[in-house]
Each structure stands twice: as structure tokens, then as C-alpha cells.
Amino acid sequence: MPEARVVLDKISYNAAISACEKGGQWQLALTLLSLMPEAKVVPNEITYSAAISACEKSGQWQVALKLLSLMPQARVVPNEITYNAAISACEKGGQWQVALNLLSLVPEARVVPDKISYNAAISACEKGGQWQLALNLLSLMPEARVMPDEITYNAAISACERSQQLELGLQILWESKERLGSLSVAYFPWALARLSVHDPDIISAAFDEVALKLSASQLAPQELAIIAWAFGMLGMNNPTFSNALVIQAVPQLQSFTMGDLLKLAWGSAASGVDVELFMAIQNEVTARLEQVDLHHFSELSRNAFLQDTLGLLWALNFAGCCSNNLLASARLVIRQAGAIMDRARGPSSLPACQSMGELPCTEADPWQPDGKPQTILDLPDRLAIFKPPGWEVHGQDTELQLSSFLQATLGKHFAIVHDEEHQCGFLHRLDLPSSGLVLAAKTYEAYYDLKVQLNAGEIARDYVILCHGWVRPCLKDIMAKVYWRGLLPTIAGDQGKPSWTRLKVTAHAWHRSTALSLVAVRIATGRRHQIRSHFSHVGHPTVCDGKYTAEATFQSDQDFCARNFLHRYRLAFKDLAGKDHEVMMPVPADLVISLQRVTARDSQSAETIRDWVIGSSLRSWQDYTPLILDFGRDKQTRSKKGGQ
């Protein structure tokens, strides 16, 4: 503009800062703000509001508050837009206390808090698990002459769901339906899914209403995406409804955000595959990946894009509609994003001794029941670690943290192992009482390369479990959906996230009068407590599981098994060059002792149990032979057991 002899004024700067705000470029927005005094242009409340909003959209809540505090010094009076942007920044940063403090300061600044102020503050309380404060703010709104809207009720219902106050959430849902004259088509299905409502009449009535709206009018992409998500979460299976959704969604796919495409694909994968829809989504995502340049993204926008892309890979793979073209495009873009992070975040350069090939690692000793973690395979940019029972991969439930072991092993050479937002480099978790192999990355590029493999179903995770009852050898898959809240047990059934556990019954046995099965397991999805909740769901809970069995059963199991009998014995994955790697770990000594205490039901079972005890013939899950029952011998066994 100066070269064109156009004078830069307040409006020019405000427009440019607003553009940076919408593009997620908060640093550029602050640079423009800092240049204004030099150009003899005085910033006003619009300038500061746009700059604070830019910080809010990029998750920079501390910088947003700093700008707000500088306004009096610049003789600029904050208005409701300024305060709303600052409260929203705190909400996105998980700072509910600061958000409430700002809301309380608004009247002192002679600014009237509005709907946006309350919505942001309630949402901040929701994210902080403060449901009582969220509902208190909702109750104060009429007194402040501010009417709640759909966004307000969304945040309040989410606060109840997050804190397991489901009945209160339902009360708020009914209240919102009475008080708000006009609701979006997606609102009610979303709330029912969020609150895990099981009443078939309520669910059916809600989707009948949605079906009417679908037939009468064109819905926006965001609404279609939320409806599809709710449809999948609630376990609906209605071909007529699905077809109506597809007819509206497919022509509009180019208008869907990546996040909305994810909801649409995920919900459709959970409720039933529609080939036309998945092919269309696959083509749209591939086209976007071929055109995207992540160098122009803010860090927050880039991370969101990566998570959406990984989620889409998972949904399309689960539906069996993930093409080689899509996978290749996703792998290229996502690995490039990891490389960008490696360059930006350092130090992450590899020591000279780690430049090529496999590295020396700690010799694993499976006979130490209470041993320390051990590195089983060490590659230049990724490694496989044995997690003993009682150790947590990454969290706050115990002092025994696998992340601390990884940090002590690798030191400061690799930035990702100190990055909690990327799970300190770990690709997956393993329950606290369980043992087995865990994958970790040393670089962001390796992390995202493995994430692509994980979401595309290219990583094999094989387990061995001992469970209650004689599982029928014909049972080969458990595909119950699962959901969970907080520290409560995972619930398996017809609602929640789609989950798939594959199994091969390899042996039947008993301990005293308790029937038992030794089962080889491969998971196609990796949900919280998936194996434990799935086997409990089909009536065969894992041995010594205090969370998914009755207390009496748990106490009885402890007579022959010291902890939950679940061990991840094998991982198979690829390195950055595409070379296959396989890591296996025999059953630890404490579980071997438990196996030695059980009595095999038949000769095939005896041979299988002996193999696991010795640990000399470990193999891929798919190579195990399922148990073949001898029904004549089985009848004799039942007669003997009955006599006893």
C-alpha cells in the first residue's frame, strides 16, 4: 500500500489483523499491532479485539490476557467483544477460573455481559469438569436479562455428561426444548447421543422428526455431520434414513470441513456401510490431501487437520473403503507434518551411533514378575518397550510411569518424549494391571508415520488372555460398541464407539471348579478396556479383573492368579522405509505360575498351555489353531465334573 501511495489508516490495520485472526496467524496479528505506533496510527477497541481473537483461535490464552491488560495503558477501553474474545481464549485454554474471573469483571468495566460471554464461561466450566458452576451460570442468565440459546444449552448438557450427571443433563434437554422455540435439526439427536439415552421410543421419535426435515428441506453440512454421528453413537440402523442422509450429503461434500467429514464418515461406519457415501468421502479427502500445504497452517490448525485426517483414515478403513491412493496421500502429508515439527521443536537430531539399522538394546527377562521396563527393539526413530504390570504408560495414576523410563533412556536427544500433547511419543496404551509390548516414537515424523499405520489397520496387536468359562471355539469376533465416562468401567453394548475384537480359543481348562479358556486375541480397534469389557459383555470376563467381575469372583481368582491375566505378546509394524518388524514377548513369570496351576481339559489344550508356559513357540495371532472339541470326550468330562 505505501508503494501505491495509499495511506495506511486504522481501518487498513484492523482489516489486516482480522484477516490474520481468521487465518490463525496470531504472530502476524501481533506484529501488525506493534507496527501501528511507528506508522502513527492509534489502535482502537476493534484492533485489540481482533488481535485477542487471533490469540484465542490459536490457543494463546496468556497472550490474549496480556493484550487485554495493556489496553488501559494504550488508553483504549475494552468493550463486550474484547472481553468475549478474552473469555473464549481462556475457555479454549482450559482456564475456567480465569474465565469466571473475567466474567465477574465485565460489569465493573461498565460493559454488559451478553450471551457470548456466558456461553464461553459455561463452556470453560464444562471443559474443566465444573458442572455445578456451569449450571449456576445458566441459572443466573435470566436474572442478568440474558436469554440462553442452543449454544448455551449445548455447553450445559456437555458439562453434565462429562461429570456423569446424566439425569441433570436430560432435565436441561427437556427444559431447552420447552424454552427455545426454534432448535436446529441436529440438536436433539446430538444431545440424546451425548447423554447415552437408551429409551427406544425417545430415540425413534427424535429420528422420525429428523427424517421429516430431511425430506422437506436441505440441511447444512454441519447439521448432516452431527446427525450422522448421533445416528452411529445411538446404534441406529435404518436404511431409509441412511439413504436420505446420503442423498443430501454427497452433493455437498466439498462444503464440508474436514471435521464434519470425519463425523459423517465415523457415524456412517458405526451405523452401517454405504458404499456410495464412503467412495465419495474417500475421493473428496484424497483431493484435499493432494492440494494441501501444511506450511501455511497455524500450529493449532495443522494439529486439527492431522487429527481429522487420521480419524477419517480410521473410519474408512473400518468400513473397508480405504484405497491405496488415499493411504499414500495421507501418509505423505502426515509424515511431512511430523518432519515440520521435528525441525521446529528440536533438539531431535539422532546421535551418530543411531544413524542406521537396529541398535543394541536391553536383554529382556520375561521371568521377572515385578521387573522394570525393558527396551526390546531399538530402531533409529522408534522402539518397542516391554511394560511390566503395575506400570502406567503415561498418566497420573501411579509413580511407575513408562514415560519416565523412556525419558531417562533417551535423555534430551528427542523432543517428543517430553511432549505430553503427543503422549510422550507413545502410540497406544496398555491397562495398568496388564503387561506387554508398547510402541513409542523418537521423532514426530516417526510418531505420525506410526499413527497412519495404526489408523489404517497396518499395526498388528496380539494378546493372550485367560478368561472365565469355556468359550465356544466358534466365537471368532466380538463387535459390541463401547462407551465410558471418567473412571467408570467401559460399557459394551449397542451404543457408543464401534469396536472389534478378534479371537481364537486355543485351550480349555479349569481351576478347582472354575472353567477357564486361554484365548489369543487381536484387536482391530483400540478402545479403553476394549478386551476386558468385550469379554465381560459375552459372559467370559478375564481372570482376576476387579473392574469387570463380581467381587467374589475377583477374590476367588486371586487364589491362583495375582493380577489381571492379559498380556500383549506381539507387535508387528513397519519402519520409515516400509520394512516389516515383528516383536514378541513371552508370558511373564507371574502369569506362567498361574497357567501351571490350571488343569487342561483335553490333550490339545494341554499342549497349547505347555507352549505358552515354555514360551518357545510364539507366533502371529493368525497362525494359532483354534481348539477342536472332542464331543465324546467332552461328554465324559462333564459327567465326571458333575459327579464331583
PDB file of all heavy atoms in Angstrom, residues 387-393 397-398 400-401 430-435 529 532:
ATOM      1  N   LYS A 387       6.251 -53.347  28.919  1.00  0.00           N
ATOM      2  CA  LYS A 387       5.663 -52.717  30.101  1.00  0.00           C
ATOM      3  C   LYS A 387       5.300 -53.805  31.118  1.00  0.00           C
ATOM      4  O   LYS A 387       4.459 -54.659  30.840  1.00  0.00           O
ATOM      5  CB  LYS A 387       4.390 -51.943  29.728  1.00  0.00           C
ATOM      6  CG  LYS A 387       3.785 -51.193  30.923  1.00  0.00           C
ATOM      7  CD  LYS A 387       2.384 -50.708  30.648  1.00  0.00           C
ATOM      8  CE  LYS A 387       1.337 -51.718  31.044  1.00  0.00           C
ATOM      9  NZ  LYS A 387       1.217 -51.941  32.509  1.00  0.00           N
ATOM     10  N   PRO A 388       5.914 -53.778  32.292  1.00  0.00           N
ATOM     11  CA  PRO A 388       5.533 -54.747  33.329  1.00  0.00           C
ATOM     12  C   PRO A 388       4.176 -54.377  33.934  1.00  0.00           C
ATOM     13  O   PRO A 388       3.711 -53.239  33.807  1.00  0.00           O
ATOM     14  CB  PRO A 388       6.643 -54.595  34.382  1.00  0.00           C
ATOM     15  CG  PRO A 388       7.692 -53.726  33.752  1.00  0.00           C
ATOM     16  CD  PRO A 388       7.000 -52.892  32.739  1.00  0.00           C
ATOM     17  N   PRO A 389       3.525 -55.311  34.615  1.00  0.00           N
ATOM     18  CA  PRO A 389       2.272 -54.983  35.306  1.00  0.00           C
ATOM     19  C   PRO A 389       2.533 -53.945  36.389  1.00  0.00           C
ATOM     20  O   PRO A 389       3.606 -53.910  37.003  1.00  0.00           O
ATOM     21  CB  PRO A 389       1.836 -56.324  35.911  1.00  0.00           C
ATOM     22  CG  PRO A 389       3.095 -57.137  36.004  1.00  0.00           C
ATOM     23  CD  PRO A 389       3.919 -56.722  34.829  1.00  0.00           C
ATOM     24  N   GLY A 390       1.548 -53.082  36.615  1.00  0.00           N
ATOM     25  CA  GLY A 390       1.682 -52.054  37.647  1.00  0.00           C
ATOM     26  C   GLY A 390       2.266 -50.753  37.138  1.00  0.00           C
ATOM     27  O   GLY A 390       2.260 -49.758  37.853  1.00  0.00           O
ATOM     28  N   TRP A 391       2.777 -50.751  35.905  1.00  0.00           N
ATOM     29  CA  TRP A 391       3.325 -49.536  35.308  1.00  0.00           C
ATOM     30  C   TRP A 391       2.261 -48.907  34.411  1.00  0.00           C
ATOM     31  O   TRP A 391       1.522 -49.597  33.721  1.00  0.00           O
ATOM     32  CB  TRP A 391       4.574 -49.843  34.478  1.00  0.00           C
ATOM     33  CG  TRP A 391       5.806 -50.077  35.308  1.00  0.00           C
ATOM     34  CD1 TRP A 391       6.054 -51.148  36.102  1.00  0.00           C
ATOM     35  CD2 TRP A 391       6.946 -49.224  35.403  1.00  0.00           C
ATOM     36  NE1 TRP A 391       7.283 -51.031  36.706  1.00  0.00           N
ATOM     37  CE2 TRP A 391       7.861 -49.853  36.285  1.00  0.00           C
ATOM     38  CE3 TRP A 391       7.302 -48.008  34.831  1.00  0.00           C
ATOM     39  CZ2 TRP A 391       9.090 -49.289  36.613  1.00  0.00           C
ATOM     40  CZ3 TRP A 391       8.528 -47.443  35.143  1.00  0.00           C
ATOM     41  CH2 TRP A 391       9.405 -48.074  36.030  1.00  0.00           C
ATOM     42  N   GLU A 392       2.212 -47.582  34.428  1.00  0.00           N
ATOM     43  CA  GLU A 392       1.299 -46.840  33.559  1.00  0.00           C
ATOM     44  C   GLU A 392       2.092 -46.294  32.379  1.00  0.00           C
ATOM     45  O   GLU A 392       3.222 -45.832  32.549  1.00  0.00           O
ATOM     46  CB  GLU A 392       0.655 -45.689  34.341  1.00  0.00           C
ATOM     47  CG  GLU A 392      -0.423 -44.950  33.568  1.00  0.00           C
ATOM     48  CD  GLU A 392      -1.121 -43.904  34.428  1.00  0.00           C
ATOM     49  OE1 GLU A 392      -0.541 -43.486  35.453  1.00  0.00           O
ATOM     50  OE2 GLU A 392      -2.232 -43.505  34.067  1.00  0.00           O
ATOM     51  N   VAL A 393       1.501 -46.340  31.186  1.00  0.00           N
ATOM     52  CA  VAL A 393       2.215 -45.837  30.009  1.00  0.00           C
ATOM     53  C   VAL A 393       2.478 -44.349  30.156  1.00  0.00           C
ATOM     54  O   VAL A 393       3.621 -43.885  30.057  1.00  0.00           O
ATOM     55  CB  VAL A 393       1.424 -46.131  28.715  1.00  0.00           C
ATOM     56  CG1 VAL A 393       2.107 -45.491  27.505  1.00  0.00           C
ATOM     57  CG2 VAL A 393       1.312 -47.639  28.506  1.00  0.00           C
ATOM     58  N   ASP A 397      -1.812 -41.961  37.511  1.00  0.00           N
ATOM     59  CA  ASP A 397      -2.406 -42.924  38.432  1.00  0.00           C
ATOM     60  C   ASP A 397      -1.384 -43.644  39.305  1.00  0.00           C
ATOM     61  O   ASP A 397      -1.748 -44.301  40.270  1.00  0.00           O
ATOM     62  CB  ASP A 397      -3.227 -43.962  37.657  1.00  0.00           C
ATOM     63  CG  ASP A 397      -4.455 -43.345  36.998  1.00  0.00           C
ATOM     64  OD1 ASP A 397      -4.942 -42.323  37.513  1.00  0.00           O
ATOM     65  OD2 ASP A 397      -4.913 -43.867  35.973  1.00  0.00           O
ATOM     66  N   THR A 398      -0.114 -43.564  38.946  1.00  0.00           N
ATOM     67  CA  THR A 398       0.926 -44.238  39.732  1.00  0.00           C
ATOM     68  C   THR A 398       2.269 -43.545  39.494  1.00  0.00           C
ATOM     69  O   THR A 398       2.438 -42.834  38.498  1.00  0.00           O
ATOM     70  CB  THR A 398       1.035 -45.732  39.337  1.00  0.00           C
ATOM     71  OG1 THR A 398       2.120 -46.332  40.034  1.00  0.00           O
ATOM     72  CG2 THR A 398       1.274 -45.889  37.846  1.00  0.00           C
ATOM     73  N   LEU A 400       4.923 -45.181  38.891  1.00  0.00           N
ATOM     74  CA  LEU A 400       5.637 -46.002  37.913  1.00  0.00           C
ATOM     75  C   LEU A 400       5.172 -45.639  36.510  1.00  0.00           C
ATOM     76  O   LEU A 400       4.174 -46.167  36.005  1.00  0.00           O
ATOM     77  CB  LEU A 400       5.396 -47.488  38.193  1.00  0.00           C
ATOM     78  CG  LEU A 400       5.853 -47.997  39.564  1.00  0.00           C
ATOM     79  CD1 LEU A 400       5.444 -49.446  39.754  1.00  0.00           C
ATOM     80  CD2 LEU A 400       7.364 -47.841  39.711  1.00  0.00           C
ATOM     81  N   GLN A 401       5.871 -44.701  35.884  1.00  0.00           N
ATOM     82  CA  GLN A 401       5.485 -44.192  34.576  1.00  0.00           C
ATOM     83  C   GLN A 401       6.444 -44.675  33.489  1.00  0.00           C
ATOM     84  O   GLN A 401       7.659 -44.479  33.583  1.00  0.00           O
ATOM     85  CB  GLN A 401       5.469 -42.660  34.596  1.00  0.00           C
ATOM     86  CG  GLN A 401       4.404 -42.054  35.492  1.00  0.00           C
ATOM     87  CD  GLN A 401       3.001 -42.285  34.943  1.00  0.00           C
ATOM     88  OE1 GLN A 401       2.769 -42.171  33.748  1.00  0.00           O
ATOM     89  NE2 GLN A 401       2.076 -42.617  35.832  1.00  0.00           N
ATOM     90  N   LEU A 430      -1.690 -49.377  27.452  1.00  0.00           N
ATOM     91  CA  LEU A 430      -1.912 -50.733  27.939  1.00  0.00           C
ATOM     92  C   LEU A 430      -2.353 -50.575  29.389  1.00  0.00           C
ATOM     93  O   LEU A 430      -1.731 -49.831  30.153  1.00  0.00           O
ATOM     94  CB  LEU A 430      -0.621 -51.548  27.833  1.00  0.00           C
ATOM     95  CG  LEU A 430      -0.695 -53.067  27.920  1.00  0.00           C
ATOM     96  CD1 LEU A 430      -1.662 -53.647  26.894  1.00  0.00           C
ATOM     97  CD2 LEU A 430       0.688 -53.676  27.710  1.00  0.00           C
ATOM     98  N   ASP A 431      -3.442 -51.251  29.766  1.00  0.00           N
ATOM     99  CA  ASP A 431      -4.017 -51.060  31.098  1.00  0.00           C
ATOM    100  C   ASP A 431      -2.983 -51.278  32.198  1.00  0.00           C
ATOM    101  O   ASP A 431      -2.081 -52.115  32.063  1.00  0.00           O
ATOM    102  CB  ASP A 431      -5.195 -52.017  31.315  1.00  0.00           C
ATOM    103  CG  ASP A 431      -6.335 -51.744  30.344  1.00  0.00           C
ATOM    104  OD1 ASP A 431      -6.375 -50.651  29.764  1.00  0.00           O
ATOM    105  OD2 ASP A 431      -7.175 -52.644  30.169  1.00  0.00           O
ATOM    106  N   LEU A 432      -3.152 -50.561  33.285  1.00  0.00           N
ATOM    107  CA  LEU A 432      -2.208 -50.585  34.410  1.00  0.00           C
ATOM    108  C   LEU A 432      -1.881 -51.995  34.901  1.00  0.00           C
ATOM    109  O   LEU A 432      -0.711 -52.331  35.074  1.00  0.00           O
ATOM    110  CB  LEU A 432      -2.762 -49.724  35.555  1.00  0.00           C
ATOM    111  CG  LEU A 432      -1.808 -49.379  36.689  1.00  0.00           C
ATOM    112  CD1 LEU A 432      -0.735 -48.412  36.215  1.00  0.00           C
ATOM    113  CD2 LEU A 432      -2.578 -48.761  37.861  1.00  0.00           C
ATOM    114  N   PRO A 433      -2.882 -52.882  35.133  1.00  0.00           N
ATOM    115  CA  PRO A 433      -2.541 -54.216  35.646  1.00  0.00           C
ATOM    116  C   PRO A 433      -2.012 -55.170  34.581  1.00  0.00           C
ATOM    117  O   PRO A 433      -1.592 -56.276  34.908  1.00  0.00           O
ATOM    118  CB  PRO A 433      -3.871 -54.727  36.210  1.00  0.00           C
ATOM    119  CG  PRO A 433      -4.909 -54.017  35.413  1.00  0.00           C
ATOM    120  CD  PRO A 433      -4.343 -52.672  35.086  1.00  0.00           C
ATOM    121  N   SER A 434      -2.046 -54.762  33.307  1.00  0.00           N
ATOM    122  CA  SER A 434      -1.635 -55.649  32.217  1.00  0.00           C
ATOM    123  C   SER A 434      -0.148 -55.509  31.920  1.00  0.00           C
ATOM    124  O   SER A 434       0.497 -54.544  32.307  1.00  0.00           O
ATOM    125  CB  SER A 434      -2.445 -55.330  30.951  1.00  0.00           C
ATOM    126  OG  SER A 434      -3.828 -55.383  31.216  1.00  0.00           O
ATOM    127  N   SER A 435       0.369 -56.482  31.188  1.00  0.00           N
ATOM    128  CA  SER A 435       1.772 -56.443  30.772  1.00  0.00           C
ATOM    129  C   SER A 435       1.830 -56.558  29.260  1.00  0.00           C
ATOM    130  O   SER A 435       0.863 -56.936  28.607  1.00  0.00           O
ATOM    131  CB  SER A 435       2.549 -57.597  31.412  1.00  0.00           C
ATOM    132  OG  SER A 435       1.958 -58.844  31.042  1.00  0.00           O
ATOM    133  N   HIS A 529     -10.066 -50.265  27.679  1.00  0.00           N
ATOM    134  CA  HIS A 529     -10.507 -51.527  28.285  1.00  0.00           C
ATOM    135  C   HIS A 529     -11.308 -52.381  27.301  1.00  0.00           C
ATOM    136  O   HIS A 529     -12.210 -53.119  27.704  1.00  0.00           O
ATOM    137  CB  HIS A 529     -11.368 -51.270  29.533  1.00  0.00           C
ATOM    138  CG  HIS A 529     -10.656 -50.554  30.634  1.00  0.00           C
ATOM    139  ND1 HIS A 529     -11.296 -50.152  31.790  1.00  0.00           N
ATOM    140  CD2 HIS A 529      -9.372 -50.124  30.766  1.00  0.00           C
ATOM    141  CE1 HIS A 529     -10.429 -49.529  32.575  1.00  0.00           C
ATOM    142  NE2 HIS A 529      -9.263 -49.505  31.965  1.00  0.00           N
ATOM    143  N   ARG A 532     -11.198 -56.319  27.885  1.00  0.00           N
ATOM    144  CA  ARG A 532     -11.823 -56.664  29.170  1.00  0.00           C
ATOM    145  C   ARG A 532     -13.338 -56.461  29.123  1.00  0.00           C
ATOM    146  O   ARG A 532     -14.113 -57.314  29.587  1.00  0.00           O
ATOM    147  CB  ARG A 532     -11.192 -55.841  30.290  1.00  0.00           C
ATOM    148  CG  ARG A 532      -9.709 -56.151  30.478  1.00  0.00           C
ATOM    149  CD  ARG A 532      -8.987 -55.040  31.240  1.00  0.00           C
ATOM    150  NE  ARG A 532      -9.421 -54.928  32.620  1.00  0.00           N
ATOM    151  CZ  ARG A 532      -9.066 -53.930  33.436  1.00  0.00           C
ATOM    152  NH1 ARG A 532      -8.274 -52.959  32.983  1.00  0.00           N
ATOM    153  NH2 ARG A 532      -9.497 -53.896  34.672  1.00  0.00           N
TER     154      ARG A 532
END
